[in-house]
Amino acid sequence: MKFSDTSDDAVIDVVEQFDYSTQNEAYNETFITWRRKIDNPYAFNFIRNRKESIFVEGKGFENKSFPVAEQESIGKIMNTAGIAMFLWIVIDNLLSRVAVAVFDFIGFDIHTSFVSTAISGGSTEIVTALVLVSLFKLLVPAFYLRLKLKMPKRTEFMTTLNHASEMFGAIFMGLAVSAITSLPNIYTNRTRDIFNYFRDINADASVWDQEQFVIYTIFDIIIVSILSELFFRGAIFVALRQFGDIFAIIVTSVMSGLLVQDFREMPAALLISAVASVGMLRSGSIFTAIFVQAIFKMYRLALVLIEADTTDSLHLMRNGFILIVFMIGAAGAVLLYLARRSSDVHRIAVFSSELSLKDRLITAFRTFPVSADICFCILAAAIKIIF
């Protein structure tokens, strides 16, 4: 979308001039309808004739600029996104611990500390607590976004697979990124802690004989992957697409990275989120993002299970597994890229305005309470390093 101040193109209509060539017609129609609603405070539907001024009572003739309108729209959306992030942070760091403390007081075998993420107690109680916390911290912010943004379901979730090859490309890229990001710390702290807890309950029994561990693993890989992608790649992603796909990818990926609240896991979360976003946009289906997230979790679980091996061949086995996964992912991504590089079709919506991408990102992350959320996430990550 290019704006030029000429007599032949004097009208700015951001809805009309958006790049709709990357997605299917049904999705585009509902997206346009949502953006055209006059009473929609989250729609960037700026329209103006460059040659005309608008009379505002008390101010006289005013010629509202396109950059100002864009910044205002970004601010409104990011304010809502910031509140959703704050709900996530509060549930994850405060309400969950309060709930555990209450159940501990009542007499349930579950314990935690307000300065630590560790939960101790009975296996059933721990799994129940982890499941409930994950559900609440995902569903409450998602419900809030849906209530505020009022996004039509057909627009909120991309469900039409336009290009199957792009789905496989994202999956292969997800494998490669999983292997690369696992090198600094091999596996995530939470997955390791859960595994070790169930393994220590009965050292003579296989962890897969622990019903609670199996339930948690299935829940984490399938349910959490689905819900997290519906949150990050749902209504908020679509609202941010109004300012370009690249902008939406960066903002939601940074949100995803920050909300893990762990410096050791942030790079992996950010990169996997970016792969999931690009894969969804290029394939046209949110299921691509879900598959990428689920494969990432399965890869990390596989590493943890390999770590359970106490033989001398542990490091060789683990390093060989990482190398194989990376080679499969990289080779698959490269081959698919070579197969489709002759195609002239672009699948990432291009957006250009009088504001640079940098200015848009600064506007987004300076918006309150997003700026406060960033500080909270960094503080929580620092506490995890200390304790």
Side-chain angles (χ1 to χ4, degrees), residues 74-75 78-79 81 85 240 247-256 258 270 357-375:
I74 291 174
M78 290 307 297
N79 174 263
M85 290 177 67
L240 293 171
F247 177 79
I249 291 170
I250 294 174
V251 172
T252 53
S253 296
V254 171
M255 287 173 57
S256 178
L258 286 169
L270 192 151
L357 176 60
K358 178 183 176 181
D359 291 334
R360 276 174 269 161
L361 291 173
I362 290 174
T363 299
F365 293 121
R366 278 183 177 176
T367 302
F368 186 83
V370 176
S371 55
D373 293 333
I374 294 173
C375 295

Side-chain angles (χ1 to χ4, degrees), residues 119-384:
I119 299 177
S120 60
S123 58
T124 301
E125 289 85 348
I126 287 179
V127 168
T128 302
L130 291 173
V131 168
L132 290 177
V133 169
S134 296
L135 286 175
F136 275 99
K137 78 178 182 182
L138 285 164
L139 292 177
V140 171
F143 178 77
Y144 172 78
L145 288 176
R146 166 165 265 284
L147 188 67
K148 297 293 289 185
L149 297 178
K150 295 182 174 60
M151 192 77 66
K153 289 184 179 180
R154 183 176 287 182
T155 302
E156 185 174 7
F157 307 116
M158 296 182 181
T159 56
T160 302
L161 184 61
N162 302 320
H163 311 283
S165 63
E166 299 291 354
M167 172 182 284
F168 290 108
I171 290 172
F172 282 126
M173 185 58 70
L175 286 172
V177 170
S178 297
I180 293 173
T181 56
S182 68
L183 294 176
N185 52 300
I186 304 302
Y187 45 78
T188 65
N189 299 313
R190 175 166 291 189
T191 303
R192 180 196 62 200
D193 292 341
I194 292 297
F195 177 83
N196 287 338
Y197 171 80
F198 284 102
R199 184 175 59 181
D200 293 339
I201 290 176
N202 187 345
D204 298 326
S206 168
V207 70
W208 293 105
D209 293 333
Q210 302 286 350
E211 180 183 355
Q212 293 88 349
F213 178 78
V214 175
I215 291 173
Y216 175 77
T217 300
I218 294 173
F219 170 80
D220 186 51
I221 291 174
I222 299 176
I223 306 301
V224 172
S225 294
I226 292 173
L227 293 179
S228 63
E229 290 310 305
L230 291 180
F231 175 75
F232 290 111
R233 249 59 64 184
I236 191 63
F237 188 92
V238 176
L240 293 171
R241 280 197 74 220
Q242 298 176 101
F243 313 99
D245 285 350
I246 299 299
F247 177 79
I249 291 170
I250 294 174
V251 172
T252 53
S253 296
V254 171
M255 287 173 57
S256 178
L258 286 169
L259 287 174
V260 299
Q261 303 167 67
D262 191 324
F263 290 131
R264 291 160 293 193
E265 297 183 32
M266 282 182 184
L270 192 151
L271 290 175
I272 286 296
S273 180
V275 171
S277 297
V278 173
M280 180 187 73
L281 290 170
R282 293 182 67 89
S283 68
S285 173
I286 195 172
F287 290 105
T288 299
I290 293 172
F291 291 150
V292 169
Q293 190 66 237
I295 286 172
F296 171 69
K297 288 179 177 292
M298 287 190 288
Y299 168 81
R300 287 296 179 91
L301 176 63
L303 280 181
V304 173
L305 295 177
I306 291 174
E307 283 285 334
D309 187 352
T310 57
T311 64
D312 295 335
S313 62
L314 164 64
H315 295 297
L316 182 62
M317 183 189 307
R318 183 187 64 197
N319 295 343
F321 174 73
I322 294 173
L323 180 61
I324 290 172
V325 170
F326 173 76
M327 291 178 64
I328 291 173
V334 170
L335 289 174
L336 284 173
Y337 169 77
L338 293 175
R340 63 181 183 238
R341 66 176 180 173
S342 58
S343 174
D344 294 330
V345 178
H346 72 282
R347 297 184 176 127
I348 301 295
V350 178
F351 179 90
S352 61
S353 72
E354 297 172 31
L355 282 178
S356 66
L357 176 60
K358 178 183 176 181
D359 291 334
R360 276 174 269 161
L361 291 173
I362 290 174
T363 299
F365 293 121
R366 278 183 177 176
T367 302
F368 186 83
V370 176
S371 55
D373 293 333
I374 294 173
C375 295
F376 288 140
C377 290
I378 293 175
L379 177 62
I383 290 174
K384 288 180 181 178

Side-chain angles (χ1 to χ4, degrees), residues 90-91 93-105 112 114:
V90 169
I91 293 171
N93 294 282
L94 181 60
L95 295 186
S96 61
R97 287 167 173 74
V98 170
V100 170
V102 170
F103 281 108
D104 183 16
F105 178 78
T112 189
F114 281 86

